[in-house]
Amino acid sequence: MSMTIEDCGRVRDGFPRPFPNTPSNVLEQMRLNGKVVVVTGAADGIGYAVSEAMAEAGANVALWYNSNDIAVQKAKDLAATHGIKASAYKVNVSVAEHVQSTVAKVVQEFGKIDVFIANAGMAISKPILEQTLDEYHKQMTVNVDGVVYYAKYAGEVFQRQGFGNLIITSSMSAHIVNVPVDQPVYNGCKAYITHFGKSLAREWREFARVNIVSPGFFDTKMGASPQTVQEAYRMSSVGRQGHVKEIKGLYLYLASDASTYMTGSDVLIDGGMDTTLCVISLQGRWEDIPMCLDLKGSDE
């Protein structure tokens, strides 16, 4: 129901809330000294680049990985290089008990969690009529259930602490229907977690912020496949895929005090990819040609 002008003018207890007690200097705002950041899917790709960014800014980092044990050495390297504390945790994010127990281990080792970056994901890009139900369930358990489990158990920590920050890695595929590769399950997963994150921002408004990052093609295992990479170049305004170093600053901004007025936002970083529809002339016919994603990949 719409409010009247009189209703809108009524003074409400507790409003306006005070501005945050954060530095005015923007470079100081971006520092994460003393903060604890969890990154899932941290062994490689965007996840490791983000872990590196957090360490470079002074944060202590918990790297979660599924099967790539190189994360253990990478955690040691981050600690030695940047003088921070870093540990690697092997976690099956599709199992709620694993997520719950590992959140507890991180709190026990680091004392708190300031930022949780829900980055682990995987894709099996097939039409639904060609995809097995096992393939469907695997994508859903990692891409959707995993994010719900992070929110459930990290969210409990945030509520108990009275502060927290959840950053969800979604995809430009939450915004478009990709062609020529049909991948309705992957697209649907990303659309789910994008709206889930926006909803959490409202639910957690008293104690935590929640934002979403939606990457386009980056040169990782989850980037454009050999079958689709030429189309990825053509559809990008910059004519290439992104390098992971080009996304580090966005995650740092969202993790830091520079973004304290930002919650419930979904940030696209896709090299100027047309994320609505691109109408082109093809053999005398007009067709809607968005872009296309990889055939199979994982950033767990």
Side-chain angles (χ1 to χ4, degrees):
M1 179 183 294
S2 297
M3 299 180 71
T4 65
I5 293 176
E6 290 76 14
D7 287 337
C8 291
R10 181 167 57 87
V11 175
R12 289 171 172 78
D13 292 340
F15 293 96
R17 293 173 178 170
F19 296 125
N21 183 23
T22 55
S24 296
N25 183 287
V26 69
L27 295 180
E28 290 301 315
Q29 291 175 11
M30 300 286 278
R31 296 298 304 173
L32 299 180
N33 296 46
K35 292 193 175 183
V36 176
V37 181
V38 176
V39 184
T40 72
D44 201 1
I46 289 175
Y48 179 67
V50 169
S51 301
E52 191 175 43
M54 301 299 120
E56 289 168 349
N60 300 312
V61 188
L63 291 78
W64 288 23
Y65 70 100
N66 178 43
S67 58
N68 191 350
D69 291 330
I70 196 173
V72 176
Q73 184 58 50
K74 286 184 174 182
K76 293 177 181 178
D77 292 343
L78 287 179
T81 300
H82 302 290
I84 52 91
K85 182 176 181 178
S87 297
Y89 300 83
K90 189 169 185 175
V91 191
N92 183 345
V93 300
S94 65
V95 178
E97 293 78 11
H98 290 192
V99 174
Q100 183 180 29
S101 63
T102 309
V103 165
K105 289 176 184 176
V106 171
V107 173
Q108 182 178 24
E109 181 175 353
F110 288 85
K112 60 176 180 173
I113 299 175
D114 293 280
V115 184
F116 195 106
I117 300 176
N119 175 74
M122 57 89 61
I124 304 174
S125 298
K126 294 180 181 178
I128 191 63
L129 297 181
E130 297 176 12
Q131 189 156 101
T132 69
L133 291 181
D134 284 344
E135 290 171 333
Y136 158 75
H137 285 300
K138 181 169 179 57
Q139 290 179 90
M140 293 296 291
T141 57
V142 173
N143 296 341
V144 174
D145 293 350
V147 175
V148 172
Y149 301 153
Y150 310 146
K152 172 69 175 172
Y153 298 115
E156 291 175 350
V157 174
F158 292 164
Q159 186 177 48
R160 186 167 64 247
Q161 295 174 160
F163 61 87
N165 185 350
L166 175 65
I167 303 169
I168 298 171
T169 300
S170 183
S171 171
M172 64 181 177
S173 298
H175 298 259
I176 56 158
V177 175
N178 301 13
V179 298
V181 177
D182 291 311
Q183 49 179 33
V185 173
Y186 180 80
N187 296 350
C189 289
K190 294 304 183 177
Y192 178 103
I193 62 174
T194 295
H195 200 58
F196 180 66
K198 289 175 177 286
S199 302
L200 288 179
R202 160 71 186 179
E203 179 183 331
W204 294 359
R205 61 194 180 277
E206 299 296 336
F207 59 86
R209 295 191 293 124
V210 184
N211 289 292
I212 303 101
V213 176
S214 290
F217 291 115
F218 278 79
D219 189 15
T220 72
K221 294 175 183 177
M222 291 286 284
S225 69
Q227 294 93 329
T228 63
V229 71
Q230 295 304 319
E231 183 69 0
Y233 298 157
R234 187 184 73 84
M235 292 298 294
S236 169
S237 296
V238 297
R240 59 176 173 82
Q241 297 191 86
H243 190 286
V244 291
K245 68 183 179 182
E246 297 176 290
I247 202 169
K248 292 166 67 173
L250 175 55
Y251 280 90
L252 176 57
Y253 170 72
L254 292 175
S256 75
D257 288 339
S259 61
T260 49
Y261 193 57
M262 193 168 183
T263 193
S265 293
D266 175 19
V267 185
L268 276 160
I269 178 167
D270 63 2
M273 190 75 69
D274 185 351
T275 52
T276 53
L277 288 174
C278 179
V279 182
I280 68 171
S281 178
L282 183 62
Q283 295 179 345
R285 296 178 297 121
W286 289 94
E287 295 190 6
D288 292 330
I289 309 291
M291 23 53 63
C292 46
L293 270 182
D294 66 328
L295 295 178
K296 187 170 182 177
S298 175
D299 259 3
E300 287 192 80

